[in-house]
């Protein structure tokens, strides 16, 4: 499921994102009973809670209203609709990401910490991975996140033309790596079949249905054979079988891939010198 940001009223959405004067408000009159006053912030937090618990597919104005003990109609005074709510939720949840990284040990250490924090954040809120990057939200926390990464990368002293593309590489790499894990978890929950069971069932059939597999795909066999040596995984002990196979592999790929990207940045620095 892919969700495109910016599908609602542009002026209202941007005003709410940036909390422009007159765009938000809290109803001071209380409804009958102990229900608290509604606010844009309360609606956003409820939307995030719904998406965290049940996924983006479960998000609706009705579901958010029910979580707040209100009808969907009661929310529209504050947020025009679901499209605007998605924009607000996405930008607000980005506020969790750290912004203060120590550059004393060097830009590489700082960027590594940024990547790990972004990976973990994405898996805490996997629904953010369903918000397409084709049309950014253009909210304050989204810009703050880019500003944070740029502060780390400008420490490399590379030019803006190069860093513009490096930012894209890093953001897409971390996002894509986390998405593999998020989708693997979703697949297991949706189908009731674990990674291990799925792979064992189908890989065992290859020998039967493709007896000449090794001859047809020799480089794949070489890669699997030579690349199967135990590797050091900082996050998942080799003995921890509670972590599904695909998650272990995705984490290793994340670590190795990030290292290759950072090596490339270092190479660009030396070339610029």
């Amino acid at each position: 499921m892919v969700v495109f940001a910016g599908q609602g009223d542009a002026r209202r959405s941007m005003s709410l994102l940036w909390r422009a004067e007159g765009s938000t408000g809290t109803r001071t009159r209380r409804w009958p009973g102990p229900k608290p006053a509604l606010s844009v912030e309360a609606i956003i937090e409820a939307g995030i809670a719904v998406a965290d618990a049940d996924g983006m597919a479960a998000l609706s104005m009705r579901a958010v209203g029910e979580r707040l003990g209100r009808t969907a109609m009661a929310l529209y005074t504050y947020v025009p609709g679901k499209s605007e709510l998605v924009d607000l939720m996405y930008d607000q949840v980005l506020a969790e990401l750290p912004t203060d990284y120590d550059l004393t040990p060097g830009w590489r250490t700082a960027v590594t910490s940024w990547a790990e924090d972004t990976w973990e954040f994405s898996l805490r809120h996997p629904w953010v991975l369903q918000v397409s990057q084709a049309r950014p939200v253009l909210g304050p926390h989204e810009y703050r996140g880019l500003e944070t990464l740029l502060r780390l990368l400008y420490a490399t002293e590379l030019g803006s033309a190069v860093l513009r593309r490096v930012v894209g590489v890093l953001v897409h790499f971390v996002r894509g790596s986390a998405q593999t894990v998020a989708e693997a978890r979703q697949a297991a929950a949706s189908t009731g079949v674990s990674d291990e069971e799925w792979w064992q069932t189908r890989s065992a059939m290859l020998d039967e249905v493709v007896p000449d597999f090794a001859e047809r795909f020799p480089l794949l066999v070489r890669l699997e054979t030579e690349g199967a040596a135990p590797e050091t995984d900082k996050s998942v002990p080799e003995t921890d079988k509670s972590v599904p196979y695909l998650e272990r592999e995705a984490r290793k790929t994340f670590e190795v891939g990030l290292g290759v990207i950072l090596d490339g940045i270092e190479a660009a620095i030396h070339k610029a010198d």
Side-chain angles (χ1 to χ4, degrees), residues 9 26 55 80 94 99 102 127 129 133 157 172 180 199 235 238 241 243 250 269:
D9 179 82
T26 301
L94 290 176
T99 58
D102 184 9
W127 56 271
L129 300 171
Q133 298 294 285
E157 299 186 357
H172 290 300
T180 298
W199 280 103
S235 66
E238 291 293 332
K241 301 301 182 182
V243 179
I269 295 171

Side-chain angles (χ1 to χ4, degrees), residues 1 40 51 83 100 140 273:
M1 177 182 181
V40 171
S83 293
D100 187 19
D273 293 339

Side-chain angles (χ1 to χ4, degrees), residues 152-185:
L152 307 183
L153 290 174
Y154 268 114
T156 65
E157 299 186 357
L158 287 171
S160 296
V162 174
L163 292 184
R164 183 184 184 91
R165 307 309 171 195
V166 170
V167 167
V169 169
L170 283 167
V171 169
H172 290 300
F173 170 73
V174 176
R175 181 182 172 91
S177 299
Q179 192 156 12
T180 298
V181 176
E183 290 178 357
R185 292 177 180 178

Side-chain angles (χ1 to χ4, degrees), residues 38-216:
L38 280 176
S39 67
V40 171
E41 284 70 23
I43 293 169
I44 294 170
E45 291 302 319
I48 292 171
V50 169
D52 281 348
D54 302 314
M56 184 66 83
L59 181 70
S60 68
M61 296 298 277
R62 179 179 178 181
V64 175
E66 288 177 350
R67 191 171 189 91
L68 292 168
R70 303 294 175 81
T71 65
M73 290 301 297
L75 309 184
Y76 292 118
T77 299
Y78 304 89
V79 179
K82 178 181 173 180
S83 293
E84 292 87 354
L85 179 58
V86 169
D87 292 355
L88 293 167
M89 289 166 50
Y90 181 85
D91 193 69
Q92 181 60 41
V93 81
L94 290 176
E96 289 184 16
L97 287 168
T99 58
D100 187 19
Y101 290 97
D102 184 9
L103 279 164
T104 303
W107 66 266
R108 182 165 183 145
T109 299
V111 172
T112 298
S113 296
W114 169 87
E116 291 175 345
D117 287 340
T118 305
W119 159 284
E120 293 170 1
F121 162 82
S122 299
L123 294 180
R124 285 199 306 274
H125 306 287
W127 56 271
V128 302
L129 300 171
Q130 295 175 294
V131 180
S132 173
Q133 298 294 285
R135 295 183 177 179
V137 170
L138 305 181
H141 296 301
E142 187 172 53
Y143 279 118
R144 187 190 70 158
L146 288 173
E147 187 78 6
T148 296
L149 179 56
L150 282 170
R151 183 176 68 84
L152 307 183
L153 290 174
Y154 268 114
T156 65
E157 299 186 357
L158 287 171
S160 296
V162 174
L163 292 184
R164 183 184 184 91
R165 307 309 171 195
V166 170
V167 167
V169 169
L170 283 167
V171 169
H172 290 300
F173 170 73
V174 176
R175 181 182 172 91
S177 299
Q179 192 156 12
T180 298
V181 176
E183 290 178 357
R185 292 177 180 178
Q186 183 180 8
S190 298
T191 65
V193 179
S194 67
D195 285 345
E196 284 75 7
E197 184 179 354
W198 190 93
W199 280 103
Q200 288 172 5
T201 299
R202 281 157 180 76
S203 61
M205 291 181 182
L206 281 175
D207 289 338
E208 176 185 340
V209 300
V210 195
D212 60 341
F213 185 92
E215 288 71 30
R216 292 174 64 179

Side-chain angles (χ1 to χ4, degrees), residues 246-258:
L246 192 57
E247 286 196 35
R248 297 198 302 270
E249 288 296 303
R251 178 65 196 194
K252 291 176 183 177
T253 299
F254 169 73
E255 292 176 352
V256 173
L258 179 61

Side-chain angles (χ1 to χ4, degrees), residues 222 232 240:
R222 175 183 173 183
T232 301
D240 187 356

